[in-house]
Amino acid sequence: MSDDSTRPRTAVVTGASSGIGAATARALAAEGFRVVCAARRTDRIEGLAAEIGGVAVTCDVTDDASVATLAAAVEECHVLVNNAGGAAGLDKVEAADLEGWRWMYDVNVLGLVRVTKALLPALRASGDGLVVNVGSTAGRWAYEGGAGYTAAKHAVKVVTETLRLELNGEPIRISEVAPGMVRTDEFALVRFGGDRERAEAVYAGVDQPLLAEDVADAIAWVATRPSHVDIDELVIKPRAQAAAHKVHRT
Ligand SMILES: NC(=O)c1ccc[n+]([C@@H]2O[C@H](COP(=O)([O-])OP(=O)(O)OC[C@H]3O[C@@H](n4cnc5c(N)ncnc54)[C@H](OP(=O)(O)O)[C@@H]3O)[C@@H](O)[C@H]2O)c1
């Protein structure tokens, strides 16, 4: 445990190369954290790290050796944001693309578990650790065509709850921030394999979907509560979205 209170607290953000992860890295840096930016696209995280005075570590959360490299670069971790993730496709169960399902489970669930396992020693070493898992309202509601993603994000919710039980008594908090519709540059594009028209249709007519910065703001808020205050979960949606199916469009 560090006894040097003047040393900056360290945050690790996975999936920091775009969208919510990049915005979260910026928000945590603005709160004074030294941010370790992790993702596969090295050029992007290096640019971000240079901008915010952080550190870039190339990391594929689906790969043991890559995650071990990340863990080796982090001696103490005060905040771990498990953000790397995404959705693939919108097929009904009957037509499920099992490779897509496997990818979603791999990155959203196993990736989160792999990184958490690897960084638990550093979270303990900080003496005051926090894990923020980026879930989704897809971890709360089913919707047609969404089962591969909703199943994975439901798993994120349950892994989060289990970890909180298992680490009870240790100075480590476990939170889930679960956004609804967020207009990021890549999420829908990745979901639809680069089909820009389908990706744009997700947000068509929606008055002000959330932005990555809105979610980053929520994560930074969770990360800056006093140590004894545990925010179990925070569901955040745009005003236009009352539920997965209930989105007001003009
Ligand atoms: N956008 C939404 O509407 C929404 C709503 C609720 C929840 N979420 C969740 O929020 C998180 C971020 O989403 P976003 O909208 O910001 O999407 P995004 O812009 O597509 O960002 C996804 C990030 O994950 C990283 N990533 C993907 N596979 C990875 C891997 N194997 N190893 C390491 N990093 C990996 C990507 O970086 P590299 O490609 O460089 O590795 C990228 O930085 C995801 O968990 C998503 O499920 C999004």
Side-chain angles (χ1 to χ4, degrees):
M1 180 179 158
S2 170
D3 56 0
D4 183 359
S5 57
T6 59
R7 232 172 36 206
R9 288 155 58 83
T10 296
V12 175
V13 180
T14 68
S17 61
S18 67
I20 293 167
T24 298
R26 288 190 177 97
L28 291 175
E31 292 291 348
F33 286 91
R34 170 185 167 268
V35 182
V36 177
C37 307
R40 292 168 303 175
R41 284 172 290 179
T42 307
D43 52 335
R44 285 191 174 216
I45 51 172
E46 282 183 345
L48 178 62
E51 174 196 324
I52 64 175
V55 176
V57 178
T58 306
C59 177
D60 180 343
V61 299
T62 68
D63 184 82
D64 285 341
S66 188
V67 170
T69 303
L70 172 65
V74 183
E75 201 178 317
E76 288 183 359
C77 177
H78 298 85
V79 176
L80 165 61
V81 183
N82 280 310
N83 163 78
L90 199 60
D91 295 328
K92 291 186 175 169
V93 172
E94 189 177 3
D97 165 15
L98 297 187
E99 277 311 309
W101 279 57
R102 197 169 279 123
W103 175 75
M104 286 188 275
Y105 201 80
D106 224 12
V107 65
N108 290 288
V109 187
L110 301 186
L112 175 151
V113 173
R114 186 176 287 107
V115 172
T116 304
K117 274 179 75 176
L119 286 181
L120 263 174
L123 283 155
R124 289 198 174 100
S126 76
D128 182 16
L130 166 70
V131 180
V132 181
N133 290 331
V134 178
S136 173
T137 51
R140 305 292 186 288
W141 303 314
Y143 57 91
E144 294 99 319
Y149 184 58
T150 56
K153 288 302 193 186
H154 275 75
V156 167
K157 180 176 192 293
V158 176
V159 169
T160 304
E161 290 168 358
T162 307
L163 201 54
R164 189 179 303 118
L165 294 170
E166 290 175 354
L167 295 181
N168 179 242
E170 296 199 45
I172 302 177
R173 292 170 290 165
I174 316 290
S175 301
E176 181 193 359
V177 170
M181 182 183 278
V182 191
R183 184 175 194 133
T184 54
D185 291 339
E186 298 186 359
F187 178 82
L189 212 52
V190 169
R191 176 168 219 165
F192 296 118
D195 184 336
R196 196 161 287 280
E197 209 173 312
R198 279 189 89 188
E200 283 299 319
V202 171
Y203 310 103
V206 180
D207 182 28
Q208 292 185 298
L210 293 178
L211 299 176
E213 289 71 22
D214 297 317
V215 182
D217 187 38
I219 294 170
W221 180 79
V222 169
T224 52
R225 294 311 87 210
S227 301
H228 67 288
V229 178
D230 175 46
I231 308 298
D232 278 3
E233 54 184 42
L234 200 157
V235 177
I236 169 169
K237 301 186 278 78
R239 183 175 52 189
Q241 184 180 34
H245 287 93
K246 185 76 178 168
V247 179
H248 180 71
R249 294 179 194 265
T250 53

